[in-house]
Amino acid sequence: MPPRLRPSHLPSAANVIPESFSSSPLLPFLLPLHHIYTILPSSSRHAQISPSSSRQFSTSKPSNARAARGRFEKTPGTRNGLIDWLKKVAPRLNVPSPRNNVPVYMTYHNNPLPVLQSAGDKKKKDSPLGFKKRTRKLDLNTVDWEKAAQNATMSPFPTNPSFKVHPCISTEFREQIYQRVKQGRSIRRVSAEVNCELERVAAVVRLKEIEKKWIEQNRPLATTMQTRVHAMMPISQWKSFPQHESITDLRIHPATNNQLFLAVPESMPFNRKDAGDALGILPADERMPHSELIGVERMRLQGISVEEMISREAQREKEEANTLMAKRQRMEARNNAGKVVETERFRFRLKPAVTGLAGHRYGVPAEDRKRGITKIPTRVV
Amino acid sequence: MARNRLYALKRPYPRQSWNKHNVYNIYRYRLPSTNNRTFFQQKFKAKQETRRFHGEYLTERKWNSMFRHTLRGVVRMNPAEMAANDGSSAVAGRGSGLDINPIFKRGMKRTDAHEPPIPFAQMTFAPLERRLDTAVYRALFASSVRQARMMCLHGKVSVNGVKMPHAGYMLNPGDMFSIDPVLVMKAIGTAGSRVYTKLSEKAKEDLQIAIEEAQSKKKSSTYLKRDDKKVLAGNTKAEIEGGVIASASSAETPDENAKEGESETAPTEGDSKVLKLPHDWRTYLPKYPRWKLYDTWEPKRFMNLFAFIPRYLEVNHNICHAVYLRHPVARSGSAEVPNPFNHETMMLAYNWYLRRR
């Protein structure tokens, strides 16, 4: 059967989208995959009958091509789609300096920035037809930034709602953490005070130390970049009782992923410690970061006075510092045991040993000297 | 490293980049459909799509050796609750706790009783987040993973103060990596030479005269001698200091209206003579002063769409240092590996790689 040609007086059906979809936000999802579409201004909406359809087999563009195009039409080259998008959509997506730390992510297309009431009224007067006129550039002064901050979607990818952006800590927040640690408080204590993870507090102090050193050396800081980058993303500002993130996140132990059938007496309680014993791991009370908070809460439940709680906590911190110091000394003693020979790459700790008793003396041959094999270091001390 | 068709428009795939082609591709990206496909086909398609996003420059063999079927997750614990009971109530009754509030009452949703599940499958490509190049990109020190990789390979990235020329170095928790701030500002900012798009009429005239002189002196080379360049630098510097550049940089709303509208060739103004600067007139100008970039830095186009730092990094842009705190984890309702794929697609991709274990 020969291919059926569409009558020439009808517009080309292949790429025509029903007009009812025209204002739908779902349009990109309704279109077939990888469909390149263009949205023409409303003036050409009524150009229903296309003269170009009478020249179906012509490869040259008609002279009045622009007027003849339908409202949505597949463009001949994908590059045209990009150029149209760059003109029409991209200026609205590119918001280099939003206010109030409102993140403008790709999901912005479905949830545009709210416009101030007065500005909205003005716009309505401009368009007598009642529909929103497409403005190419976003006027940042007309945006209701407070409302935008409330409505902000924290997922940068429209197709993945399970990835959410967590705010960063502000520069003032970092300074506060640094000052607290400089006052002689332990990392653990500061972490609990400012509700930041232990690792984060330690990292902030390390980074701040370098920053202070740079200031001393009169090395320039990229403060402009820092402020501009922070303006684009959600930030948790410093407060008297900051709630930045959860500090008691317990890592799921791989041993707990498998089912374990255990016969336990019905009359006996089976608590977290028993569960840890059964799985062969430490109980959650000890594995959890900031496990000392459980002790504090327990004291609170027992109705112990605040002074007593503070003194007990101080005692515990002192003991902890002592054990840590002892551990460090042990480690240092171990590292410096025997004769130490430092080379560029290795630090040899030579100990007297008796040879000739074991079977293999030199172990497995290493392949890292072979041609074309790169040995990437696994750690940098 | 295959270079061709990275940002193809006809068959688009999302990549880890702020390139305009890539933004366009992510903007119109649709997740692969699973209709009328066998399970194998679904898994294969999901694996294809996700691998094109995560480390597309790595061979499948390399990635297979990095893949781990154990996925990291965390559970938020409540110390007050742990102090109040020892957990024995959780295994009371028939072993799964006493039903104090039966959850499936009429009119009650499951979400009221339960926390959202942990999206473990989103952690499939978490081992790649340990790579130095990916971490540099995640810390917003580069505008694409490939650019970050190039920085590493060129020896611009240090780990704990030691130059690390291997992009595949696997960061350990507590590792600090750093790059020169100027390099970062160039990588994630607009080009510094754009400031010279605004020259006053006087500066343009000076420039034209200087270029003509230079070309007449030495026909073989169109470039100015170093001495001439210095003279020119003096001329244009006066103009730049005189407020032309200052006004451009002091404008608090960088909408770039003025800059983009600016034509590169000199405009004709009534009776004044027509200025014809060569197309490469910028090369005659003195190099953009390094220190100026610190004050007049502007973010790269579309940076706001990708401006987020995952929780496992602590970044200081003042000094362009960052610390890899810990390995990325998944928690109730969210995962720390950024990607545009939904849970179902990632589940299929995870299953693909699990198949061979």
Side-chain angles (χ1 to χ4, degrees), chain B residues 144-162:
Chain B
S144 69
V145 177
R146 287 190 175 220
Q147 190 183 26
R149 182 187 155 84
M150 196 192 69
M151 285 175 174
C152 298
L153 297 181
H154 288 197
K156 310 287 186 192
V157 184
S158 310
V159 175
N160 296 337
V162 178

Side-chain angles (χ1 to χ4, degrees), chain A residues 14-50:
Chain A
N15 306 312
V16 171
I17 305 292
E19 211 172 315
S20 55
F21 290 165
S22 60
S23 61
S24 164
L26 291 171
L27 180 65
F29 301 98
L30 292 168
L31 288 166
L33 191 65
H34 311 322
H35 186 106
I36 314 304
Y37 64 94
T38 54
I39 300 165
L40 287 184
S42 55
S43 57
S44 61
R45 178 189 282 186
H46 302 293
Q48 285 287 332
I49 297 168
S50 147

Side-chain angles (χ1 to χ4, degrees), chain B residues 63-81:
Chain B
W63 158 242
N64 267 319
S65 70
M66 289 165 76
F67 174 77
R68 294 284 174 274
H69 74 274
T70 11
L71 305 168
R72 289 192 174 86
V74 291
V75 182
R76 188 175 184 167
M77 305 301 277
N78 186 354
E81 212 176 287

Side-chain angles (χ1 to χ4, degrees), chain B residues 28-233:
Chain B
R28 67 204 171 114
Y29 180 66
R30 287 181 7 141
L31 292 160
S33 82
T34 50
N35 291 345
N36 301 327
R37 297 205 186 204
T38 63
F39 188 43
F40 182 89
Q41 285 171 335
Q42 290 179 21
K43 285 193 289 187
F44 185 78
K45 188 74 189 152
K47 167 249 165 193
Q48 263 189 331
E49 299 275 323
T50 50
R51 276 286 280 124
R52 277 165 182 152
F53 186 78
H54 290 286
E56 86 287 345
Y57 51 88
L58 296 176
T59 57
E60 195 62 5
R61 187 193 174 94
K62 177 75 187 149
W63 158 242
N64 267 319
S65 70
M66 289 165 76
F67 174 77
R68 294 284 174 274
H69 74 274
T70 11
L71 305 168
R72 289 192 174 86
V74 291
V75 182
R76 188 175 184 167
M77 305 301 277
N78 186 354
E81 212 176 287
M82 291 173 88
N85 56 56
D86 60 354
S88 52
S89 60
V91 288
R94 294 198 296 176
S96 56
L98 291 172
D99 271 356
I100 301 160
N101 296 320
I103 50 170
F104 293 120
K105 271 187 198 166
R106 186 174 291 178
M108 198 172 178
K109 282 179 191 169
R110 198 182 165 83
T111 47
D112 296 340
H114 287 282
E115 282 197 330
I118 302 177
F120 270 117
Q122 292 282 343
M123 305 300 295
T124 306
F125 291 96
L128 288 176
E129 303 294 304
R130 263 186 85 180
R131 281 176 63 95
L132 182 59
D133 52 359
T134 313
V136 166
Y137 171 69
R138 296 270 179 255
L140 303 181
F141 290 163
S143 63
S144 69
V145 177
R146 287 190 175 220
Q147 190 183 26
R149 182 187 155 84
M150 196 192 69
M151 285 175 174
C152 298
L153 297 181
H154 288 197
K156 310 287 186 192
V157 184
S158 310
V159 175
N160 296 337
V162 178
K163 187 174 96 176
M164 178 54 69
H166 306 287
Y169 171 72
M170 302 295 264
L171 287 162
N172 296 314
D175 271 355
M176 182 192 280
F177 54 94
S178 59
I179 314 179
D180 180 18
V182 172
L183 190 65
V184 172
M185 281 191 283
K186 282 178 181 170
I188 65 166
T190 49
S193 61
R194 283 187 73 182
V195 181
Y196 287 129
T197 52
K198 270 200 157 190
L199 287 181
S200 72
E201 290 300 308
K202 180 76 177 61
K204 277 172 187 163
E205 277 175 29
D206 286 353
L207 186 62
Q208 197 188 4
I209 292 162
I211 291 169
E212 277 168 8
E213 272 180 22
Q215 285 173 345
S216 63
K217 270 181 198 168
K218 205 178 182 184
K219 281 178 185 172
S220 61
S221 165
T222 54
Y223 289 89
L224 295 183
K225 277 184 190 172
R226 181 164 285 177
D227 301 347
D228 295 331
K229 226 172 187 177
K230 269 183 191 163
V231 173
L232 189 60

Side-chain angles (χ1 to χ4, degrees), chain A residues 36 159 206 211 224 248-250, chain B residues 28 75 77 174 294 331 340:
Chain A
I36 314 304
T159 42
R206 275 173 82 188
E211 197 181 308
T224 311
T248 52
D249 279 346
L250 176 71
Chain B
R28 67 204 171 114
V75 182
M77 305 301 277
Y294 283 94
R331 48 171 61 78

Side-chain angles (χ1 to χ4, degrees), chain A residues 163-179:
Chain A
F163 177 69
K164 303 227 174 53
V165 173
H166 197 262
C168 290
I169 54 174
S170 68
T171 40
E172 197 205 341
F173 206 130
R174 286 183 207 156
E175 184 63 34
Q176 290 284 349
I177 289 175
Y178 179 71
Q179 294 301 340

